[in-house]
Amino acid sequence: MAVAVPPRRNRRSPTPPRILTAVPLCDGHDSAVMTVNHELVRHGAEVVYLGYHQSAAAIARAAVQEDVDAVGISSYNGGHLVFFREVLAELRARSGADIPVFGGGGGTITAADARLLQRAGVARIFFAGTPLAAMVDELFRHASTRRRLAAGNGDRALGRAISLAENESSAAARAHATSRRVAPRSPFVLGVAGPGGAGKSTLIDELTARFLHDQRAGRLAILANDPSQPGSGGALLGDRVAAIYAQNDRVFFRSLGTRGAQAGRSAALPGALQVLRERGGFDLIIVESVGIGQESDPFGTLGRDERALVDAVLFVLPPHYGGRIQLEKTALLHGADFVALNKCDDPRCGTARAELAASLVRDTPPPALHLTTAARHDDPGVDQLYAAIAARAGLSPPGGERPCLLCVET
């Protein structure tokens, strides 16, 4: 029997509500939460989806960095009484006590449990049979009426400042971020672009793992652009699903919906980058574009009408790009500093490597070509790519100790 889909109401807004959804530890299915995700996006929300097997700390860290209006947790594993309380405690510890937490769990969460959770601070538990329209209405109502606490410092302040860059202006974002005091640095900014499905997010996560290993005290920021839906204005911001190593307190991760911008990235990207450069205290910033086409230049590196937003570009493409002629049509491929032929466990990699090398050799200077399989941990191709980026960024040598500056007088 076909399921009736409720009609979509026109909720398109220049400042769409941002809602984070996740599935807890020991809970390995997400069909229910994905249904809710699609319904929220269909009505114009930006949904930051974390995926399943998420810890309370990971959910709270992401909620603060993403500056969301609500958190939704789908829990079927029976540990909800403990887990929801842990999420609330983690939010309070990260200056996020004003972010409401909602839950749902089919028949697992009883009415008595729901009363206990609501006394502990959970906004509401949705039971099996609750119409999707009612969930959407309540989440949108909370998002539009909730009273925000002062953002304070740390990731909460950075997250709020980037929201201001999205919703108001770069100047508002910078004014908000002036309260954050960090040691001045000049982070290296790497733009990562390529067609959809090339494995950009997975490759960025592997680069993150190497950065955290080699830079024992360094900080990394990731800005991930995802496309907004042309009709509703909503967006499923799902790059965090592949961001396993980004669940580290030295990593700041923020998702950006394009909100109608056609450049392959959010119009707020320059303002967000300015905040992170001036106030974030980061050593490296990685910016991921949406899946781009042949004319795209998301970072302004081809030098026509704006200052380049990044210091270098990594172009990622899979072996199944469609033939040699496609390589000649993609402008940014020939303007990149690094090129990664990813998914090299694919049998088409040998042909792709030969065609790509023949195409790139005509560029002046030819970009460095790296062969990677990001889905395979400890891939030597990713090691070599990270080493090349670190050298270009001026990061300290992998595994090397920082020089000792202690002076002892006798």
Side-chain angles (χ1 to χ4, degrees):
M1 182 177 70
V3 177
V5 178
R8 187 183 69 210
R9 281 156 283 183
N10 183 12
R11 305 189 198 225
R12 189 178 181 117
S13 166
T15 58
R18 292 173 64 85
I19 298 168
L20 181 144
T21 62
V23 179
L25 289 170
C26 304
D27 203 336
H29 67 88
D30 62 355
S31 58
V33 75
M34 284 303 296
T35 300
V36 176
N37 288 345
H38 289 305
E39 194 65 11
L40 289 166
V41 171
R42 205 168 69 91
H43 285 84
E46 290 185 345
V47 178
V48 180
Y49 180 50
L50 295 192
Y52 42 76
H53 295 320
Q54 296 297 312
S55 69
I59 291 171
R61 182 188 303 113
V64 166
Q65 294 179 347
E66 299 283 355
D67 192 36
V68 296
D69 298 297
V71 169
I73 299 171
S74 175
S75 175
Y76 284 79
N77 66 7
H80 45 270
L81 288 177
V82 173
F83 190 81
F84 277 77
R85 288 189 173 104
E86 287 183 354
V87 172
L88 294 168
E90 289 284 348
L91 283 171
R92 287 193 294 271
R94 298 170 189 271
S95 304
D98 59 324
I99 301 174
V101 176
F102 294 82
T108 307
I109 303 178
T110 65
D113 288 348
R115 287 193 291 274
L116 290 173
L117 290 173
Q118 288 183 235
R119 275 190 222 124
V122 172
R124 181 173 171 182
I125 298 296
F126 295 111
F127 294 103
T130 305
L132 287 173
M135 290 187 195
V136 172
D137 282 341
E138 181 143 355
L139 288 167
F140 272 62
R141 182 174 61 78
H142 270 265
S144 63
T145 59
R146 84 178 177 97
R147 299 182 65 180
R148 290 172 176 268
L149 298 175
N153 293 313
D155 285 358
R156 188 75 201 272
L158 287 177
R160 181 71 57 79
I162 292 175
S163 292
L164 290 171
E166 286 189 294
N167 300 333
E168 297 183 24
S169 67
S170 298
R174 294 184 67 197
H176 176 84
T178 53
S179 62
R180 182 184 171 85
R181 295 179 180 178
V182 297
R185 299 185 190 181
S186 298
F188 186 82
V189 182
L190 176 71
V192 180
K200 298 186 293 297
S201 299
T202 305
L203 183 54
I204 288 172
D205 200 49
E206 287 294 313
L207 295 174
T208 298
R210 285 152 179 82
F211 173 89
L212 293 173
H213 179 268
D214 295 336
Q215 307 295 311
R216 300 303 171 91
R219 298 194 73 223
L220 168 68
I222 300 170
L223 292 173
N225 292 268
D226 258 333
S228 300
Q229 297 292 321
S232 69
L236 182 57
L237 308 176
D239 285 321
R240 277 184 177 269
V241 172
I244 298 168
Y245 296 106
Q247 295 180 12
N248 185 295
D249 285 335
R250 289 195 284 131
V251 179
F252 178 87
F253 191 116
R254 178 60 183 254
S255 310
L256 300 170
T258 54
R259 299 187 181 181
Q262 300 297 313
R265 46 86 171 170
S266 164
L269 179 60
L273 272 175
Q274 197 167 15
V275 167
L276 295 182
R277 276 187 167 119
E278 296 178 358
R279 304 293 174 179
F282 296 105
D283 300 277
L284 176 65
I285 300 174
I286 298 176
V287 184
E288 179 182 0
S289 76
V290 304
I292 67 167
Q294 295 167 340
E295 290 184 308
S296 302
D297 181 18
F299 310 122
T301 52
L302 300 182
R304 287 190 302 273
D305 54 3
E306 61 178 318
R307 179 179 175 273
L309 292 173
V310 299
D311 298 307
V313 172
L314 165 63
F315 194 95
V316 186
L317 77 168
H320 44 281
Y321 46 76
R324 283 182 296 175
I325 192 65
Q326 301 301 326
L327 300 178
E328 307 306 320
K329 293 180 178 180
T330 306
L332 189 56
L333 171 64
H334 298 279
D337 302 272
F338 310 97
V339 174
L341 178 61
N342 194 30
K343 303 187 178 182
C344 280
D345 51 347
D346 188 296
R348 291 166 287 188
C349 178
T351 300
R353 176 185 185 180
E355 292 180 347
L356 195 52
S359 178
L360 295 177
V361 76
R362 296 195 292 272
D363 296 332
T364 307
L369 174 60
H370 296 268
L371 308 181
T372 60
T373 305
R376 182 173 58 199
H377 297 306
D378 300 324
D379 177 60
V382 180
D383 290 341
Q384 294 167 12
L385 174 61
Y386 174 77
I389 293 169
R392 179 72 174 269
L395 299 173
S396 57
E401 294 184 359
R402 296 180 182 275
C404 177
L405 303 179
L406 178 65
C407 179
V408 179
E409 295 182 356
T410 58

